């Protein structure tokens, strides 16, 4: 039988999914994934009670688990289909990776902070998800497994990292927040053919910085 605390969290998770829909997310597969993935497992127990607020929360190493609405926006922009090969830069807590796995994607994710990489690996295993995880600088992508149907960057970049663009399949989408360290515009680049790309600029967000060879030197 479902325990009291699981039932409490299930109700809060359903309310969060409704909230994300009310804010404008239309892809029901994304909403269903938010309704399913247990976000409270991905934050420190001291913050568990706040896991279903629509807000970013600290996860250690000076980083955050993204706001659920932001995760939903990026996931919707990726237009994920079951079986799509998706690369995420910035594993963090593992929440975005879990949402993508839940939607049936084959997920590759890179994180530069060792402690977060190990925590996410453990938590994702416990939840039964099996993304391919790598510790390192993701600003150059993960060429060994390229090309990807989708690439999502979950930290703010100073410019669109060119290696990521090159690692898209024809038809593939790159979703990346680009700007200064205070505010970024969400950009979606679609590879239309071998040598042509289409760029869309969407709304503004605030992410932690993407740090690395093709990102910021430091925060
Ligand atoms: N997707 C994460 C989640 O669901 O919790 C969001 C985590 S946080 C907003 C962004 C993450 O990007 C941080 O964990 C940070 O360490 C990581 N990051 C920053 N620069 C990176 C880089 N060059 N390569 C890989 N990860 C990076």
């Amino acid at each position: 039988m479902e325990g009291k605390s699981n039932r409490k969290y299930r109700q809060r998770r359903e309310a969060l999914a409704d909230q994300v829909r009310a804010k404008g997310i239309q892809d029901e597969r994304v909403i269903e994934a938010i309704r399913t993935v247990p976000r409270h497992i991905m934050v420190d127990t001291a913050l568990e009670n706040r896991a279903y607020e629509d807000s970013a929360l600290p996860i250690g190493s000076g980083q955050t688990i993204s706001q659920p609405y932001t995760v939903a926006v990026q996931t919707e922009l990726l237009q994920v289909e079951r079986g799509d090969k998706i690369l995420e830069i910035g594993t963090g807590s593992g929440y975005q990776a879990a949402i993508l796995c839940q939607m049936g994607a084959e997920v590759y994710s890179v994180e530069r902070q060792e402690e977060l990489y190990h925590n996410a690996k453990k938590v994702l295993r416990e939840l039964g998800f099996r993304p391919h995880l790598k510790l390192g600088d993701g600003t150059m992508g993960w060429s060994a497994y390229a090309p990807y149907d989708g690439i999502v960057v979950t930290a703010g970049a100073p410019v669109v990292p060119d290696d990521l663009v090159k690692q898209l399949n024809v038809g593939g989408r790159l979703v990346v927040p680009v700007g200064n360290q205070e505010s970024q515009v969400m950009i979606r680049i679609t590879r239309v053919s071998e040598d042509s790309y289409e760029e869309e600029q969407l709304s503004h967000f605030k992410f932690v910085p993407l740090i690395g060879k093709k990102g910021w030197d430091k925060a």
Side-chain angles (χ1 to χ4, degrees):
M1 212 177 109
E2 190 179 21
K4 208 172 161 188
S5 92
N6 273 341
R7 190 161 59 241
K8 174 181 84 180
Y9 285 132
R10 182 169 54 78
Q11 284 166 351
R12 289 191 191 177
R13 196 154 57 237
E14 286 174 2
L16 175 64
D18 291 343
Q19 212 178 329
V20 157
R21 185 194 287 108
K23 286 184 176 172
I25 299 300
Q26 293 179 359
D27 187 336
E28 284 299 326
R29 297 163 311 162
V30 175
I31 293 166
E32 187 54 34
I34 291 199
R35 200 194 308 284
T36 311
V37 172
R39 192 171 186 253
H40 66 277
I41 308 284
M42 305 195 146
V43 294
D44 192 90
T45 43
L47 291 170
E48 203 181 281
N49 216 27
R50 297 188 52 202
Y52 296 103
E53 290 175 11
D54 189 20
S55 57
L57 293 169
I59 52 170
S61 307
Q63 304 302 319
T64 55
I65 180 171
S66 301
Q67 180 185 355
Y69 173 68
T70 305
V71 172
V73 167
Q74 290 200 288
T75 311
E76 185 167 69
L77 288 170
L78 274 175
Q79 298 173 305
V80 183
E81 296 293 340
R82 290 198 84 77
D84 273 1
K85 202 206 266 190
I86 306 285
L87 173 65
E88 176 194 25
I89 310 302
T91 317
S93 66
Y95 182 63
Q96 170 78 78
I99 293 282
L100 293 166
C101 289
Q102 181 66 34
M103 292 176 72
E106 183 187 335
V107 179
Y108 296 77
S109 183
V110 185
E111 171 57 54
R112 65 182 285 276
Q113 299 265 10
E114 192 164 358
E115 197 186 335
L116 297 179
Y117 161 79
H118 287 296
N119 279 348
K121 192 170 190 175
K122 183 166 164 280
V123 168
L124 288 163
R125 284 247 167 92
E126 280 167 11
L127 290 173
F129 296 121
R130 292 279 180 276
H132 306 258
L133 301 180
K134 179 178 160 180
L135 174 64
D137 177 5
T139 57
M140 282 93 69
W142 194 349
S143 60
Y145 294 100
Y148 300 95
D149 301 303
I151 302 179
V152 58
V153 182
T154 68
V159 291
V160 175
D162 52 355
D163 294 288
L164 300 186
V165 176
K166 290 180 199 146
Q167 289 176 25
L168 285 176
N169 241 331
V170 171
R173 294 80 51 199
L174 165 65
V175 176
V176 54
V178 176
N180 57 35
Q181 291 195 15
E182 298 311 311
S183 166
Q184 305 89 33
V185 67
M186 194 69 78
I187 291 183
R188 176 168 63 184
I189 293 178
T190 305
R191 184 169 203 165
V192 184
S193 68
E194 264 322 309
D195 49 15
S196 66
Y197 299 87
E198 209 172 76
E199 179 176 318
E200 297 157 89
Q201 299 206 356
L202 304 137
S203 40
H204 282 82
F205 289 84
K206 178 165 173 27
F207 282 81
V208 295
L210 179 75
I211 297 176
K213 196 167 171 205
K214 302 282 181 83
W216 296 99
D217 286 341
K218 55 181 167 44

